[in-house]
Every structure is written in C-alpha cells, then in structure tokens.
Amino acid sequence: MGAVEVVDLFCGVGGLTHGLQKAGLDVVAGVDIDPNCQYPFEANNDSRFYLKSVDSLTKSEVSGWYSGADIKVLAGCAPCQPFSSYSQGPKGKQDEKWKLLYEFQRLIVDTNPDIVTMENVPQLIKFEVFTDFVTSLEKHKYYVSYQLVECEKYGLPQTRKRLVLLASKLGPIELIKPTHDTPEKYLTVKNVIDGLPRLDAGKISIEDPLHKSSILGELNLKRIMASKPGGTWKDWPKNLVADCHKKESGRTYVSVYGRMEWDKPSPTITTQFFGFGNGRFGHPTQNRALSLREGAILQSFPVNYKFTPPGESSGMKSVGRLIGNAVPVRLGEVIGISIMKHIETSKD
C-alpha cells in the first residue's frame, strides 16, 4: 500500500483524527474555526492544526497539505446543529445554514481526493443539501455508500446514531460490519468508567483535573439521591418534582434528571452532559452528574486525552461543548478501518 494521507475538515478537538490514526491513516492536517480546538488537536495527535473557516480554503491550500500521497482522503463533519433543528426554507441552498456542506462539496470537486468520508446527524439525510452532495459525488465518478450507524454496535459505550458516508474513486466502498452486533456485546458504562476515582459533586480529582463534576444545589442533591438507575423523576416524592413536570404538558418529559445504568451503554453524550438536569446524565451510583473525563471516555477518548494546556482550568461549559461536539474516537477508528480495508481490497 502506498502513502495514504488525510485532511480533516471541521476537525474539532481531534476525535475523528485520533480514530483514523489508530486505524493506521496519516492525518496531515486538521482545520477548524474554533481556536480552543488547537491545543487538544495537536497535543494528542501527530498532525497540524489550521485555524481557518472552511469557506475560505482554496484548492491550492488544501492540495498543498498532501505531500505527494498515493491516495488522498478528505474527511469532513460539518457542524450539525442546522440539520437537527431547522427545515430548509424558501432560500433553499442559498441559505447560510447549508453553506458549510456546500463548501465541503466545493473542496471535493476542486481537490479531487481519491476517498471522501463524512459523518453527521441522521436528520441530514432528509434535506436537499444531502441529495445535492451525493449527486455531486456521483457526477464526479465516485462510488458512494451511506448508512445510519448505531454506534453501540461498533464498540462505543453510548447509544448514538450517526449518518456515515463513504465515497471512493477506487471502487465500491462501505463501512465494515458491526463489531458488537448484539446487546450482550455492547460496552457498558461500568466497563469504561467504573475504575475512576470516586468524586463528590462540585469537586475535582487530585489525580486528573478533567475528572471534575458540576456543583449540585440542595434541591438537586435531594433529587439525585431519590433517583434510581434507569428511572425518572416520576420515582421521586412529590415535593421534589419540578412545577413544570406537574403540569399535563410536562408529564411526558421523562428524559431529564435521570441516572444512567451501569450495565447498559450511556445515552447520547451532548454538549450539556455535565448537568444532572440536562438529560439522563446522573452517575449510576454517585450523587452527581458525569465528570468531564467520564463524558470524554464515553465518547471513547483515551483516559489521558488532553483538552486544556497544563495549568489552565477546564471550564465545564467550554470543555463540555468540545467533548459533546466531537466525533467519537471509536467511530473514527471504524471509518479508518473501513477505508484501509477498501484500499487493500482495491489493490488486489
């Protein structure tokens, strides 16, 4: 196999890059508009970070990052918020919220990589912008495959659904088959975070500054003490139930103020995973929400992955956002394994 090089657009803190590198791919550049991503990206990965907006990138700039590779891979996970909360309005493809995916499409056409991969929210598949993206790839002679992935079936200790697209000029390409295809094989919360030091709400571990949890007020402390793993606020005494949940309109909102279960994957890790009231993010046995480190581990980052420079405080909201927005490392590794397998097969 000749040299394979990857450019990772919208790279964030390096979840996809770290996974691709674990699979044996050489990621030569990561691009993101958020300066807070530079330290974690470069401190944990053998790659260089470029603080740029994708819509400002040129053909010569991106092409120049590939240093004579035999096979060029262009990866991108455009920010997903527009696709999960909006519908395509009267401005259609001119709308600003679709801009970044069309910019990714432009760079594919301009730089002509051998392989393309994209990861995003499942809702994207419903929009014209996705149809346009696939049509453009096919027009430029790519074999395209895409599917909705249940990440727990690939060894992520989290129930997370993502849209994964692979496209290649070398021949048909597809994601590898699930590696953990039955519930008995799923990685659980207990499998991955049980060994971390015990932690009280609002405290920071001496051993690991990222193992820190949010403060709980007196009322929320009583609520989490009354919460059962896998249960809901309906298990609480009436005096602990929030007024909004007592109303008819609030009785169905049972996915907040919950404890996770040891023997199942966690719920989807969001940018708010460190807050007990933001979802089912209560620790299974300790009276607190997930720590930043636990959220990162459930996103399959290594236990020693660095998110802030030495001596700099790890802000709950700022670092929580970076972790929640990341492509899970394990999913990146699965994508990388699929690409490597495809390249080897295509050489036969």
Side-chain angles (χ1 to χ4, degrees):
M1 183 187 299
V4 183
E5 294 181 345
V6 186
V7 171
D8 182 2
L9 306 178
F10 318 103
C11 66
V13 295
L16 177 61
T17 283
H18 204 72
L20 294 176
Q21 290 188 340
K22 284 185 72 175
L25 291 160
D26 180 13
V27 182
V28 294
V31 183
D32 205 279
I33 199 170
D34 186 350
N36 294 311
C37 294
Q38 180 162 4
Y39 175 79
F41 183 86
E42 292 189 336
N44 299 282
N45 299 291
D46 184 17
S47 186
R48 185 170 176 185
F49 180 89
Y50 294 88
L51 182 64
K52 290 178 177 290
S53 176
V54 167
D55 61 6
S56 71
L57 292 178
T58 63
K59 173 182 177 179
S60 60
E61 197 169 18
V62 176
S63 297
W65 291 332
Y66 296 105
S67 55
D70 295 304
I71 295 175
K72 298 185 296 182
V73 181
L74 191 60
C77 175
C80 61
Q81 287 84 354
F83 311 120
S84 56
S85 56
Y86 294 103
S87 60
Q88 198 156 334
K91 288 193 289 183
K93 62 187 66 177
Q94 303 305 317
D95 200 319
E96 284 294 305
K97 59 182 169 277
W98 313 113
K99 184 178 179 182
L100 291 176
L101 198 55
Y102 283 115
E103 291 296 339
F104 183 21
Q105 179 180 314
R106 171 185 65 84
L107 288 170
I108 293 167
V109 174
D110 286 352
T111 61
N112 193 35
D114 302 284
I115 296 171
V116 173
T117 182
M118 180 185 70
E119 183 262 14
N120 219 298
V121 294
Q123 294 93 321
L124 177 60
I125 204 168
K126 301 175 184 176
F127 295 103
E128 184 184 357
V129 64
F130 181 71
T131 304
D132 289 347
F133 190 83
V134 172
T135 300
S136 175
L137 287 169
E138 292 174 339
K139 177 184 175 183
H140 289 89
K141 310 302 181 187
Y142 285 94
Y143 295 88
V144 182
S145 70
Y146 55 87
Q147 66 186 85
L148 299 182
V149 174
E150 296 176 77
C151 293
E152 64 270 28
K153 293 184 177 180
Y154 286 90
L156 188 70
Q158 177 192 155
T159 54
R160 190 183 192 96
K161 291 183 173 62
R162 301 298 286 182
L163 171 65
V164 175
L165 176 145
L166 290 165
S168 174
K169 290 197 167 184
L170 307 179
I173 184 171
E174 60 183 6
L175 204 66
I176 61 170
K177 298 265 189 284
T179 55
H180 298 63
D181 53 359
T182 63
E184 294 75 29
K185 295 180 181 178
Y186 294 168
L187 283 184
T188 67
V189 173
K190 188 178 182 70
N191 290 150
V192 297
I193 70 167
D194 188 30
L196 293 183
R198 188 171 183 83
L199 195 66
D200 291 330
K203 301 298 182 181
I204 304 173
S205 170
I206 297 173
E207 300 172 28
D208 177 7
L210 203 74
H211 188 35
K212 63 187 292 189
S213 67
S214 296
I215 296 170
L216 280 178
E218 185 178 347
L219 178 58
N220 276 341
L221 185 58
K222 289 179 181 178
R223 285 169 168 169
I224 197 167
M225 290 175 71
S227 298
K228 305 172 185 176
T232 72
W233 50 261
K234 293 184 177 182
D235 301 321
W236 301 343
K238 288 184 179 179
N239 65 306
L240 297 182
V241 177
D243 289 341
C244 61
H245 291 147
K246 292 176 182 176
K247 298 175 183 176
E248 190 65 34
S249 59
R251 290 183 181 177
T252 58
Y253 290 92
V254 293
S255 60
V256 295
Y257 292 107
R259 281 192 192 269
M260 299 182 302
E261 298 177 75
W262 269 138
D263 298 322
K264 292 182 180 179
S266 79
T268 299
I269 297 300
T270 70
T271 58
Q272 304 290 320
F273 70 85
F274 51 84
F276 172 53
N278 297 331
R280 206 170 289 278
F281 300 129
H283 190 281
T285 58
Q286 298 172 36
N287 294 323
R288 59 173 176 82
L290 286 172
S291 72
L292 291 176
R293 179 62 74 193
E294 288 165 337
I297 291 171
L298 290 166
Q299 280 279 67
S300 59
F301 284 99
V303 71
N304 60 350
Y305 204 89
K306 304 176 185 74
F307 289 89
T308 51
E312 186 175 304
S313 175
S314 302
M316 298 300 292
K317 288 185 178 179
S318 58
V319 177
R321 176 181 60 82
L322 296 176
I323 292 170
N325 278 335
V327 176
V329 172
R330 174 57 185 167
L331 182 56
E333 184 181 15
V334 167
I335 291 169
I337 292 169
S338 302
I339 290 172
M340 294 292 277
K341 183 178 179 182
H342 164 70
I343 292 171
E344 290 167 4
T345 304
S346 68
K347 294 292 185 182
D348 293 342

